Amino acid sequence: GINAEYGDRASFSMAKGGKGGKGGKGGKKENKKLGAGKRSQTKAKPGKGKFRDTKPSMDREVHKPAAQPQKRKREEPAKPKAAALPLAKKKKESKHFMSRLEHDAEFLLAQQAKVVWEKVRVKDMEPKERTAMITKLLAKLSGHIQALCLKHDASRIVQTCLKWGSKPECDAICHELLGSLRPLCKSKYGKVLVKKLLMYCTKPVRGQIIRTELVGHVAELLSHKEAADVIEFVWADIATAEQRQTLVSELYGPEWKLWHQSSGATHLEQLEQQSADTLIKVTTSMADFLNKLVDKGLVGQSIVHRCASEFMKFGSMEQRTSFAGHVSERLLEMIHTRHGMMVGVGCVTYGSPKDRKLIVKSMRGYVTKVCCEEFGHTVLIALLSILDDTVLAKEILIKEITDELSDLMSDLYCRRVLVSVLVGINSRYLPPDSIQLLTPQLPANFIVSKKSAEQRRNELLVLLLPAVLSAFQDSPELILVGCEGSSPATGADVLFEALAAASVDNKELKTTVETVAQYVVSIRWDELPNRLRCFGHVKRLLAKGSVSGSLLVPAIANQFGEEPVEMVSNNSAGYLLAALIKNAEKPIISKLVKTVKANKAQLSKLSEDTGARHLLLLPECK
């Protein structure tokens, strides 16, 4: 504004012809001065800013805000120093670790407790000293146990106190954690502590934990990956039969809860007899919950298998078929338990051909393991007796079995699978409950498979039978596998059915018969612990009228020669020779009897254990 004012005055005087100012030259000089330094033509005004009349230092002092009195900080008690702990050099150099020691009281407490824990957890420590140290440690941890349980290292400290502490001390820990165990079940490290609580606490406290913390929340906990392990532990190792029924009934849904409260029913059998409409609603709720668990991949728990088996028992045909299609790819995780096996057989029976193929494909690489399982082998039998796609069955199931057949023959359940393919589902080799499960009563319009059992069996034997005969060629001693027990389906039974299924012109058949005949003659019966039981199973191979008898009897008779005395005295073969005389054809009988009578004097001197007396008592040899 000042520059503009002076500039206007100069231009006005020059417009009138003047030279500006008091003289002609004065105006020009004034203009130059104004252009070069404008401050010299202005008069400083008091104040601050461009025209201030004070020094900058004075200006700052004048306008500096007044200093306010500082508040006194509250004196805090001195924190314990971390240097008292025997820390490693690496931890001392860690800024994060040292910072937590200074600011996190529970972290400091955990580090102090770990010093004592390192001494307590030594196995060869004196019991009295350990008890005293645990009592002192629990007194220090009291009130902080709930927070420490969520830490992976501090949780181990509490577990050690539960393991070596007294029963009152364990119950005290349980009472401190009551009300917070459900969140602990969902923690990766807290769930281990909950299992230890249930393991070491007294029976009344254990019942209180199940009643107050788990009952009413079973479905919620089973749907959580970590908490499901706790429910499985309670179901398998802790709960009584009554508690198990209470836990599994929570999976039946809200309709069952209302019915239970009104009628007092405790099992689905009672509901089936009283109200079929309510049963349909209950099975619908069960199907929804089970499908949810299948989608999450949480089907490995025994309580889930129990619920699914009851669903397959009481559900409608449509519900069973739908569930079979939903669980087919996850079935391998379930069939290792009894109830899981029942679910597996139901899925194979009521599922579609596509579902059965998915089940077979999911077993790829695990067939030998399933074949040797107490319950899983039943599902394998169901597949081999129902599946129409025999090409897929041979490619996956039969091939994996035959690749390790010599080793698998020593397992009872694998032998059951083999005889089920060789002869079909037979009550001689399978227990009654398995027979009932594998042959259910189905509606007349329900088609399980299109192929006949005979056609399916013949197609599977193309690959299985040569492998079985080859196994006995390589290891003829397999005929005695399983003979020491009372269970059916021994190695001799497998050979019996294999010889019956093979055709007479089979080249491997003749080789197998000769190899087995040589081994039978060389058996040292007196060295076998259960020789009578073993001989009973071998004797079946020589039965008159059987295929195996018509093949083996002549082959074994040829191995005896004309001097049976030495053989009978060395390996107690008198019983075997007697069995040959009973089951052989007339030409062979006359030859054997003639040989026995020629050596009758020497045979009569042998001991009773050799079977010589039994041989001489035969009507043919008198």
PDB file of all heavy atoms in Angstrom, residues 442-464:
ATOM      1  N   LEU A 442     -33.564-104.792   2.915  1.00  0.00           N
ATOM      2  CA  LEU A 442     -33.807-103.606   2.096  1.00  0.00           C
ATOM      3  C   LEU A 442     -35.182-103.692   1.449  1.00  0.00           C
ATOM      4  O   LEU A 442     -35.721-104.798   1.246  1.00  0.00           O
ATOM      5  CB  LEU A 442     -32.729-103.486   1.014  1.00  0.00           C
ATOM      6  CG  LEU A 442     -31.281-103.350   1.520  1.00  0.00           C
ATOM      7  CD1 LEU A 442     -30.320-103.436   0.354  1.00  0.00           C
ATOM      8  CD2 LEU A 442     -31.103-102.053   2.275  1.00  0.00           C
ATOM      9  N   PRO A 443     -35.780-102.542   1.107  1.00  0.00           N
ATOM     10  CA  PRO A 443     -37.053-102.566   0.383  1.00  0.00           C
ATOM     11  C   PRO A 443     -36.920-103.280  -0.958  1.00  0.00           C
ATOM     12  O   PRO A 443     -35.833-103.339  -1.549  1.00  0.00           O
ATOM     13  CB  PRO A 443     -37.376-101.079   0.192  1.00  0.00           C
ATOM     14  CG  PRO A 443     -36.600-100.373   1.251  1.00  0.00           C
ATOM     15  CD  PRO A 443     -35.359-101.185   1.472  1.00  0.00           C
ATOM     16  N   ALA A 444     -38.011-103.822  -1.417  1.00  0.00           N
ATOM     17  CA  ALA A 444     -37.980-104.613  -2.657  1.00  0.00           C
ATOM     18  C   ALA A 444     -37.593-103.770  -3.860  1.00  0.00           C
ATOM     19  O   ALA A 444     -36.964-104.264  -4.806  1.00  0.00           O
ATOM     20  CB  ALA A 444     -39.335-105.276  -2.880  1.00  0.00           C
ATOM     21  N   ASN A 445     -37.967-102.491  -3.855  1.00  0.00           N
ATOM     22  CA  ASN A 445     -37.685-101.629  -5.003  1.00  0.00           C
ATOM     23  C   ASN A 445     -36.320-100.943  -4.915  1.00  0.00           C
ATOM     24  O   ASN A 445     -35.983-100.121  -5.767  1.00  0.00           O
ATOM     25  CB  ASN A 445     -38.776-100.564  -5.144  1.00  0.00           C
ATOM     26  CG  ASN A 445     -38.895 -99.704  -3.888  1.00  0.00           C
ATOM     27  OD1 ASN A 445     -38.307-100.019  -2.854  1.00  0.00           O
ATOM     28  ND2 ASN A 445     -39.669 -98.634  -3.985  1.00  0.00           N
ATOM     29  N   PHE A 446     -35.534-101.250  -3.889  1.00  0.00           N
ATOM     30  CA  PHE A 446     -34.223-100.609  -3.726  1.00  0.00           C
ATOM     31  C   PHE A 446     -33.167-101.503  -4.372  1.00  0.00           C
ATOM     32  O   PHE A 446     -32.971-102.649  -3.962  1.00  0.00           O
ATOM     33  CB  PHE A 446     -33.905-100.402  -2.248  1.00  0.00           C
ATOM     34  CG  PHE A 446     -32.653 -99.610  -2.006  1.00  0.00           C
ATOM     35  CD1 PHE A 446     -32.658 -98.228  -2.087  1.00  0.00           C
ATOM     36  CD2 PHE A 446     -31.453-100.247  -1.714  1.00  0.00           C
ATOM     37  CE1 PHE A 446     -31.502 -97.498  -1.874  1.00  0.00           C
ATOM     38  CE2 PHE A 446     -30.299 -99.534  -1.495  1.00  0.00           C
ATOM     39  CZ  PHE A 446     -30.331 -98.148  -1.581  1.00  0.00           C
ATOM     40  N   ILE A 447     -32.491-100.987  -5.388  1.00  0.00           N
ATOM     41  CA  ILE A 447     -31.471-101.739  -6.125  1.00  0.00           C
ATOM     42  C   ILE A 447     -30.096-101.330  -5.620  1.00  0.00           C
ATOM     43  O   ILE A 447     -29.692-100.178  -5.741  1.00  0.00           O
ATOM     44  CB  ILE A 447     -31.579-101.487  -7.643  1.00  0.00           C
ATOM     45  CG1 ILE A 447     -32.973-101.891  -8.140  1.00  0.00           C
ATOM     46  CG2 ILE A 447     -30.493-102.241  -8.390  1.00  0.00           C
ATOM     47  CD1 ILE A 447     -33.208-101.562  -9.589  1.00  0.00           C
ATOM     48  N   VAL A 448     -29.390-102.293  -5.049  1.00  0.00           N
ATOM     49  CA  VAL A 448     -28.056-102.012  -4.520  1.00  0.00           C
ATOM     50  C   VAL A 448     -27.022-102.052  -5.637  1.00  0.00           C
ATOM     51  O   VAL A 448     -26.204-101.141  -5.783  1.00  0.00           O
ATOM     52  CB  VAL A 448     -27.699-103.014  -3.409  1.00  0.00           C
ATOM     53  CG1 VAL A 448     -26.292-102.735  -2.881  1.00  0.00           C
ATOM     54  CG2 VAL A 448     -28.701-102.925  -2.282  1.00  0.00           C
ATOM     55  N   SER A 449     -27.012-103.101  -6.430  1.00  0.00           N
ATOM     56  CA  SER A 449     -26.059-103.238  -7.531  1.00  0.00           C
ATOM     57  C   SER A 449     -26.708-104.020  -8.659  1.00  0.00           C
ATOM     58  O   SER A 449     -27.692-104.744  -8.465  1.00  0.00           O
ATOM     59  CB  SER A 449     -24.788-103.955  -7.053  1.00  0.00           C
ATOM     60  OG  SER A 449     -25.113-105.225  -6.526  1.00  0.00           O
ATOM     61  N   LYS A 450     -26.157-103.864  -9.846  1.00  0.00           N
ATOM     62  CA  LYS A 450     -26.722-104.500 -11.037  1.00  0.00           C
ATOM     63  C   LYS A 450     -26.116-105.877 -11.313  1.00  0.00           C
ATOM     64  O   LYS A 450     -26.785-106.766 -11.801  1.00  0.00           O
ATOM     65  CB  LYS A 450     -26.522-103.587 -12.253  1.00  0.00           C
ATOM     66  CG  LYS A 450     -27.250-102.258 -12.138  1.00  0.00           C
ATOM     67  CD  LYS A 450     -27.009-101.392 -13.360  1.00  0.00           C
ATOM     68  CE  LYS A 450     -27.731-100.045 -13.235  1.00  0.00           C
ATOM     69  NZ  LYS A 450     -27.505 -99.189 -14.416  1.00  0.00           N
ATOM     70  N   LYS A 451     -24.845-106.048 -11.018  1.00  0.00           N
ATOM     71  CA  LYS A 451     -24.184-107.322 -11.287  1.00  0.00           C
ATOM     72  C   LYS A 451     -24.557-108.354 -10.232  1.00  0.00           C
ATOM     73  O   LYS A 451     -24.805-108.019  -9.066  1.00  0.00           O
ATOM     74  CB  LYS A 451     -22.664-107.146 -11.312  1.00  0.00           C
ATOM     75  CG  LYS A 451     -22.147-106.368 -12.503  1.00  0.00           C
ATOM     76  CD  LYS A 451     -20.632-106.311 -12.483  1.00  0.00           C
ATOM     77  CE  LYS A 451     -20.102-105.542 -13.695  1.00  0.00           C
ATOM     78  NZ  LYS A 451     -18.626-105.459 -13.693  1.00  0.00           N
ATOM     79  N   SER A 452     -24.554-109.615 -10.623  1.00  0.00           N
ATOM     80  CA  SER A 452     -24.777-110.693  -9.672  1.00  0.00           C
ATOM     81  C   SER A 452     -23.513-110.923  -8.859  1.00  0.00           C
ATOM     82  O   SER A 452     -22.401-110.558  -9.266  1.00  0.00           O
ATOM     83  CB  SER A 452     -25.171-111.976 -10.400  1.00  0.00           C
ATOM     84  OG  SER A 452     -24.109-112.412 -11.238  1.00  0.00           O
ATOM     85  N   ALA A 453     -23.679-111.535  -7.688  1.00  0.00           N
ATOM     86  CA  ALA A 453     -22.529-111.796  -6.818  1.00  0.00           C
ATOM     87  C   ALA A 453     -21.522-112.725  -7.489  1.00  0.00           C
ATOM     88  O   ALA A 453     -20.302-112.550  -7.346  1.00  0.00           O
ATOM     89  CB  ALA A 453     -23.011-112.392  -5.499  1.00  0.00           C
ATOM     90  N   GLU A 454     -22.012-113.701  -8.244  1.00  0.00           N
ATOM     91  CA  GLU A 454     -21.126-114.650  -8.919  1.00  0.00           C
ATOM     92  C   GLU A 454     -20.296-113.971 -10.000  1.00  0.00           C
ATOM     93  O   GLU A 454     -19.086-114.219 -10.129  1.00  0.00           O
ATOM     94  CB  GLU A 454     -21.958-115.781  -9.525  1.00  0.00           C
ATOM     95  CG  GLU A 454     -21.150-116.919 -10.101  1.00  0.00           C
ATOM     96  CD  GLU A 454     -20.426-117.710  -9.044  1.00  0.00           C
ATOM     97  OE1 GLU A 454     -20.850-117.662  -7.865  1.00  0.00           O
ATOM     98  OE2 GLU A 454     -19.426-118.382  -9.388  1.00  0.00           O
ATOM     99  N   GLN A 455     -20.920-113.092 -10.769  1.00  0.00           N
ATOM    100  CA  GLN A 455     -20.195-112.387 -11.829  1.00  0.00           C
ATOM    101  C   GLN A 455     -19.134-111.469 -11.234  1.00  0.00           C
ATOM    102  O   GLN A 455     -17.990-111.422 -11.716  1.00  0.00           O
ATOM    103  CB  GLN A 455     -21.176-111.580 -12.683  1.00  0.00           C
ATOM    104  CG  GLN A 455     -20.509-110.805 -13.809  1.00  0.00           C
ATOM    105  CD  GLN A 455     -21.491-109.917 -14.561  1.00  0.00           C
ATOM    106  OE1 GLN A 455     -22.695-109.918 -14.243  1.00  0.00           O
ATOM    107  NE2 GLN A 455     -21.012-109.196 -15.555  1.00  0.00           N
ATOM    108  N   ARG A 456     -19.506-110.755 -10.206  1.00  0.00           N
ATOM    109  CA  ARG A 456     -18.553-109.845  -9.565  1.00  0.00           C
ATOM    110  C   ARG A 456     -17.380-110.627  -8.982  1.00  0.00           C
ATOM    111  O   ARG A 456     -16.219-110.222  -9.081  1.00  0.00           O
ATOM    112  CB  ARG A 456     -19.270-109.053  -8.477  1.00  0.00           C
ATOM    113  CG  ARG A 456     -18.414-107.969  -7.845  1.00  0.00           C
ATOM    114  CD  ARG A 456     -19.138-107.268  -6.712  1.00  0.00           C
ATOM    115  NE  ARG A 456     -20.426-106.752  -7.134  1.00  0.00           N
ATOM    116  CZ  ARG A 456     -21.602-107.291  -6.808  1.00  0.00           C
ATOM    117  NH1 ARG A 456     -21.651-108.375  -6.057  1.00  0.00           N
ATOM    118  NH2 ARG A 456     -22.723-106.758  -7.230  1.00  0.00           N
ATOM    119  N   ARG A 457     -17.659-111.748  -8.336  1.00  0.00           N
ATOM    120  CA  ARG A 457     -16.616-112.576  -7.733  1.00  0.00           C
ATOM    121  C   ARG A 457     -15.650-113.104  -8.781  1.00  0.00           C
ATOM    122  O   ARG A 457     -14.424-113.056  -8.590  1.00  0.00           O
ATOM    123  CB  ARG A 457     -17.282-113.720  -6.973  1.00  0.00           C
ATOM    124  CG  ARG A 457     -16.341-114.773  -6.433  1.00  0.00           C
ATOM    125  CD  ARG A 457     -17.109-115.763  -5.580  1.00  0.00           C
ATOM    126  NE  ARG A 457     -16.334-116.958  -5.337  1.00  0.00           N
ATOM    127  CZ  ARG A 457     -16.365-118.048  -6.083  1.00  0.00           C
ATOM    128  NH1 ARG A 457     -17.170-118.092  -7.152  1.00  0.00           N
ATOM    129  NH2 ARG A 457     -15.630-119.096  -5.797  1.00  0.00           N
ATOM    130  N   ASN A 458     -16.162-113.590  -9.883  1.00  0.00           N
ATOM    131  CA  ASN A 458     -15.293-114.124 -10.941  1.00  0.00           C
ATOM    132  C   ASN A 458     -14.399-113.055 -11.536  1.00  0.00           C
ATOM    133  O   ASN A 458     -13.234-113.315 -11.879  1.00  0.00           O
ATOM    134  CB  ASN A 458     -16.143-114.769 -12.039  1.00  0.00           C
ATOM    135  CG  ASN A 458     -16.846-116.036 -11.563  1.00  0.00           C
ATOM    136  OD1 ASN A 458     -16.368-116.706 -10.649  1.00  0.00           O
ATOM    137  ND2 ASN A 458     -17.980-116.362 -12.177  1.00  0.00           N
ATOM    138  N   GLU A 459     -14.902-111.835 -11.676  1.00  0.00           N
ATOM    139  CA  GLU A 459     -14.099-110.750 -12.233  1.00  0.00           C
ATOM    140  C   GLU A 459     -12.981-110.338 -11.285  1.00  0.00           C
ATOM    141  O   GLU A 459     -11.874-109.984 -11.723  1.00  0.00           O
ATOM    142  CB  GLU A 459     -14.999-109.556 -12.554  1.00  0.00           C
ATOM    143  CG  GLU A 459     -15.966-109.810 -13.713  1.00  0.00           C
ATOM    144  CD  GLU A 459     -16.920-108.646 -13.937  1.00  0.00           C
ATOM    145  OE1 GLU A 459     -16.827-107.661 -13.164  1.00  0.00           O
ATOM    146  OE2 GLU A 459     -17.746-108.711 -14.868  1.00  0.00           O
ATOM    147  N   LEU A 460     -13.233-110.395  -9.982  1.00  0.00           N
ATOM    148  CA  LEU A 460     -12.197-110.033  -9.009  1.00  0.00           C
ATOM    149  C   LEU A 460     -11.152-111.133  -8.863  1.00  0.00           C
ATOM    150  O   LEU A 460      -9.974-110.862  -8.607  1.00  0.00           O
ATOM    151  CB  LEU A 460     -12.837-109.739  -7.646  1.00  0.00           C
ATOM    152  CG  LEU A 460     -13.754-108.509  -7.576  1.00  0.00           C
ATOM    153  CD1 LEU A 460     -14.372-108.388  -6.188  1.00  0.00           C
ATOM    154  CD2 LEU A 460     -12.996-107.234  -7.916  1.00  0.00           C
ATOM    155  N   LEU A 461     -11.572-112.393  -9.015  1.00  0.00           N
ATOM    156  CA  LEU A 461     -10.637-113.513  -8.842  1.00  0.00           C
ATOM    157  C   LEU A 461      -9.583-113.568  -9.935  1.00  0.00           C
ATOM    158  O   LEU A 461      -8.540-114.209  -9.757  1.00  0.00           O
ATOM    159  CB  LEU A 461     -11.400-114.834  -8.806  1.00  0.00           C
ATOM    160  CG  LEU A 461     -12.187-115.126  -7.529  1.00  0.00           C
ATOM    161  CD1 LEU A 461     -12.907-116.457  -7.641  1.00  0.00           C
ATOM    162  CD2 LEU A 461     -11.273-115.114  -6.312  1.00  0.00           C
ATOM    163  N   VAL A 462      -9.835-112.910 -11.052  1.00  0.00           N
ATOM    164  CA  VAL A 462      -8.850-112.906 -12.137  1.00  0.00           C
ATOM    165  C   VAL A 462      -7.517-112.333 -11.655  1.00  0.00           C
ATOM    166  O   VAL A 462      -6.436-112.803 -12.053  1.00  0.00           O
ATOM    167  CB  VAL A 462      -9.391-112.084 -13.338  1.00  0.00           C
ATOM    168  CG1 VAL A 462      -8.326-111.915 -14.398  1.00  0.00           C
ATOM    169  CG2 VAL A 462     -10.619-112.770 -13.919  1.00  0.00           C
ATOM    170  N   LEU A 463      -7.570-111.353 -10.777  1.00  0.00           N
ATOM    171  CA  LEU A 463      -6.347-110.746 -10.257  1.00  0.00           C
ATOM    172  C   LEU A 463      -5.953-111.302  -8.891  1.00  0.00           C
ATOM    173  O   LEU A 463      -4.762-111.440  -8.584  1.00  0.00           O
ATOM    174  CB  LEU A 463      -6.520-109.227 -10.154  1.00  0.00           C
ATOM    175  CG  LEU A 463      -5.312-108.416  -9.675  1.00  0.00           C
ATOM    176  CD1 LEU A 463      -4.143-108.592 -10.627  1.00  0.00           C
ATOM    177  CD2 LEU A 463      -5.668-106.936  -9.544  1.00  0.00           C
ATOM    178  N   LEU A 464      -6.937-111.664  -8.060  1.00  0.00           N
ATOM    179  CA  LEU A 464      -6.633-112.068  -6.688  1.00  0.00           C
ATOM    180  C   LEU A 464      -6.131-113.503  -6.596  1.00  0.00           C
ATOM    181  O   LEU A 464      -5.169-113.794  -5.864  1.00  0.00           O
ATOM    182  CB  LEU A 464      -7.882-111.892  -5.817  1.00  0.00           C
ATOM    183  CG  LEU A 464      -7.727-112.276  -4.343  1.00  0.00           C
ATOM    184  CD1 LEU A 464      -6.701-111.380  -3.666  1.00  0.00           C
ATOM    185  CD2 LEU A 464      -9.066-112.193  -3.616  1.00  0.00           C
TER     186      LEU A 464
END
